[in-house]
């Protein structure tokens, strides 16, 4: 079996990348390490590894963006499995594993770990593992990396700053046609829509506590248009 570690060096500090490489090199298994340079590299590398035909395990070493790219690259290949080593901003995917999430930080716990299936959301041909959202929360997520570059901010802090800026300076109202069981809903104005396969997004926020990644169910949260005080 091949073990391929796809590392996004932009997701963590240089010293954390060096420590990660050292821990990989300490494994007593054959491995390959590939570094990403731009958006799309993780998906391309994962897809090429899966297309080789042999059994392969891909380790997404980065944040939720790296995890998402690897998942999209491996989708449809029964010979491939993936896991992740968290060195990103939010690492919301791993929060779904509860008190076992810290185990993912050490490659020694992963190389021979059990494999099991998870659900995914097909959103216009692109897979989402945890939450697919539109509206206000998507605006916040879109801006978060801008504020993550500020000193002393990281993880949930950058999400909170982005939330505050969007709440104060951008509109809350969005217009959609929502079709449920083949019938459009009368409401057209919403603040946000979140389709939840997992429980966490935004560095630890939990829109739907009941969501699980292996139960075959998608929970959908629609927030109707409200005033700013009500939203706050």
């Amino acid at each position: 079996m091949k073990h391929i570690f796809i590392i996004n060096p932009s997701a963590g500090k240089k010293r954390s990348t060096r420590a990660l490489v050292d821990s990989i090199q300490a494994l007593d298994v054959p491995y390959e390490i590939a570094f990403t340079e731009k958006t799309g590299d993780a998906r391309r590398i994962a897809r090429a590894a899966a297309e080789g035909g042999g059994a392969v395990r891909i380790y997404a070493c980065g944040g939720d963006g790296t995890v998402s790219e690897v998942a999209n690259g491996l989708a449809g290949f029964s010979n491939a499995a993936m896991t992740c080593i968290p060195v990103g901003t939010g690492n919301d995917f791993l929060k779904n594993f509860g008190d076992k999430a810290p185990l993912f930080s050490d490659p020694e716990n992963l190389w021979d770990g059990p494999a099991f299936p998870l659900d995914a959301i097909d959103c216009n041909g692109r897979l989402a593992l945890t939450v697919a959202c539109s509206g206000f929360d998507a605006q916040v997520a879109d801006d978060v990396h801008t504020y993550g570059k500020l000193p002393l901010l990281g993880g949930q802090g950058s999400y909170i700053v982005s939330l505050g800026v969007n709440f104060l300076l951008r509109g809350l109202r969005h217009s959609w046609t929502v079709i449920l069981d083949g019938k459009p809903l009368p409401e057209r104005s919403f603040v946000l829509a979140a389709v939840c396969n997992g429980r966490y997004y935004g560095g630890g926020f939990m829109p739907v506590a009941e969501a699980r990644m292996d139960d075959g169910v998608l929970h959908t949260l629609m927030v109707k248009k409200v005033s700013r005080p009500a939203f706050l």
Side-chain angles (χ1 to χ4, degrees):
M1 178 183 292
K2 287 185 178 180
H3 298 266
I4 302 177
F5 294 82
I6 301 177
I7 300 177
N8 178 2
S10 300
K13 298 178 181 179
K14 288 185 178 180
R15 62 177 179 270
S16 64
T17 300
R18 182 66 260 175
L20 173 59
V21 172
D22 289 343
S23 65
I24 295 170
Q25 292 174 338
L27 295 175
D28 189 22
V29 295
Y31 65 85
E32 299 176 21
I33 296 177
F35 291 94
T36 63
E37 297 181 356
K38 60 184 181 300
T39 300
D41 279 354
R43 178 174 181 169
R44 175 182 56 79
I45 295 168
R47 176 59 60 91
E51 288 176 339
V56 59
R57 285 194 168 192
I58 305 292
Y59 303 76
C61 307
D64 291 313
T66 307
V67 172
S68 177
E69 281 199 24
V70 170
N72 277 269
L74 297 185
F77 290 92
S78 60
N79 59 306
M82 67 170 289
T83 186
C84 60
I85 300 176
V87 290
T89 301
N91 300 312
D92 287 307
F93 173 73
L94 277 189
K95 289 183 176 67
N96 290 278
F97 293 88
D99 58 4
K100 289 190 168 56
L103 295 175
F104 289 80
S105 296
D106 186 353
E108 184 64 41
N109 299 322
L110 304 176
W111 70 269
D112 63 345
F116 50 90
L118 291 179
D119 304 326
I121 305 169
D122 185 342
C123 184
N124 297 328
R126 182 177 176 183
L127 297 183
L129 295 180
T130 53
V131 179
C133 57
S134 187
F136 181 81
D137 47 359
Q139 292 172 191
V140 172
D142 193 43
D143 291 345
V144 70
H145 292 292
T146 300
Y147 305 109
K149 298 175 183 177
L150 298 176
L152 304 179
L153 281 183
Q156 196 175 53
S158 55
Y159 282 97
I160 292 173
V161 171
S162 182
L163 190 156
V165 171
N166 277 277
F167 175 76
L168 294 173
L169 302 180
R170 299 180 69 177
L172 297 180
R173 180 179 178 273
H174 299 266
S175 296
W176 296 301
T177 297
V178 179
I179 299 174
L180 180 64
D181 294 332
K183 298 179 180 180
L185 299 182
E187 295 86 355
R188 293 292 299 273
S189 295
F190 299 91
V191 174
L192 62 87
V195 180
C196 303
N197 180 47
R199 296 190 297 282
Y200 297 97
Y201 70 168
F205 292 100
M206 186 190 297
V208 179
E210 295 82 7
R212 297 293 185 273
M213 293 190 293
D214 60 355
D215 62 358
V217 176
L218 293 180
H219 295 267
T220 301
L221 174 68
M222 304 292 300
V223 178
K224 297 178 184 179
K225 179 187 175 183
V226 294
S227 65
R228 289 183 187 272
F231 182 78
L232 185 61

